[in-house]
Amino acid sequence: MNAPLSFLLPLLAVVLAYLIGSLSFAVLVSRTLGLDDPRTYGSGNPGATNVLRSGSKAAAVATLVLDAAKGWLPVALVRWWGKPYGFEEGTLALVGLAAFLGHLWPVFFRFQGGKGVATALGVLLGVSGWLGLAVALTWVLVAFVSRYSSLAALIAAVCAPVYYLLLDGVLWNADSRIAVAIGAMALLLIWRHQENIERLLQGTESRLGQSSKGGSSTPGADHTHRR
């Protein structure tokens, strides 16, 4: 492969990953099912937890699965078929990070995206099914014990790079570039949960199953319902 293509093809893969990540399935699924735009109630966050406040569990599950899939797919494609095109671990790391950034700042939705929990999980599953499973189980365990979705997301985010480095040579061979991408996603996810952290410290964060859509028409109108 000549030099221009060795640069342009990975760049194209990163751009496509960002565009895939920019598909806000919380909004798209809600529109398809005739539900209100999730950006207009609850926390205003276009994610599965806020979609659940619409009262439709099916819409929330579909949003969760599709948001995870858009993080997984670009990484999986690079891993499966990227080597003949010169896509190495560095490209894989950038593609995963780009899909995650697309969810946070989607070009198709005025750069107003979600917090990235499901998409980050999808990226981790693409990197390694074992890694994704370990992080998902961490989220489930913390959420089951605490009943706080946000706390579970924060702890799982911290654990993701720790697991990746700690189990190097056991379940996978860690790469420094992928480790940096996972660390960056963890930091961004924590940053996106700043308000949740404040409410957790104040004891005002709502628990899983505690609140619903509740008729709020203004995003964030009820601060105790944000997630």
Side-chain angles (χ1 to χ4, degrees):
M1 185 181 297
N2 58 45
L5 281 180
S6 66
F7 171 77
L8 290 176
L9 289 179
L11 178 61
L12 178 61
V14 170
V15 171
L16 289 175
Y18 169 76
L19 294 176
I20 292 172
S22 290
L23 296 172
S24 182
F25 285 110
V27 177
L28 296 174
V29 168
S30 295
R31 286 179 182 172
T32 300
L33 297 180
L35 303 172
D36 290 341
D37 190 319
R39 296 169 296 180
T40 64
Y41 59 79
S43 65
N45 180 59
T49 302
N50 202 40
V51 171
L52 185 60
R53 296 188 175 102
S54 71
S56 174
K57 293 181 179 179
V61 170
T63 299
L64 177 66
V65 171
L66 290 170
D67 276 350
K70 73 182 184 183
W72 168 82
L73 182 62
V75 177
L77 291 176
V78 168
R79 184 171 293 284
W80 291 341
W81 294 304
K83 287 190 177 180
Y85 301 97
F87 296 173
E88 301 295 341
E89 300 302 304
T91 303
L92 188 148
L94 288 174
V95 162
L97 185 57
F100 179 74
L101 293 176
H103 180 81
L104 267 56
W105 294 287
V107 66
F108 304 127
F109 295 87
R110 299 180 180 179
F111 301 101
Q112 298 174 354
K115 296 180 180 178
V117 177
T119 303
L121 176 61
V123 172
L124 297 178
L125 286 168
V127 171
S128 167
W130 289 113
L131 176 61
L133 179 61
V135 173
L137 288 176
T138 299
W139 187 96
V140 170
L141 179 61
V142 176
F144 178 79
V145 173
S146 70
R147 306 302 298 171
Y148 288 119
S149 173
S150 55
L151 179 62
L154 290 165
I155 292 178
V158 171
C159 287
V162 174
Y163 291 161
Y164 184 69
L165 295 173
L166 190 63
L167 295 175
D168 176 28
V170 179
L171 294 176
W172 51 74
N173 293 317
D175 182 272
S176 60
R177 294 160 292 184
I178 294 177
V180 169
I182 293 174
M185 288 193 301
L187 290 174
L188 285 168
L189 195 149
I190 293 169
W191 174 66
R192 295 286 278 199
H193 280 78
Q194 289 180 81
E195 293 182 357
N196 301 87
I197 293 171
E198 292 176 5
R199 289 192 296 277
L200 284 167
L201 293 174
Q202 295 167 1
T204 58
E205 178 74 319
S206 60
R207 295 176 184 266
L208 283 168
Q210 177 180 329
S211 60
S212 61
K213 184 177 174 181
S216 173
S217 60
T218 303
D222 185 346
H223 292 281
T224 64
H225 287 175
R226 287 189 184 179
R227 181 78 66 214

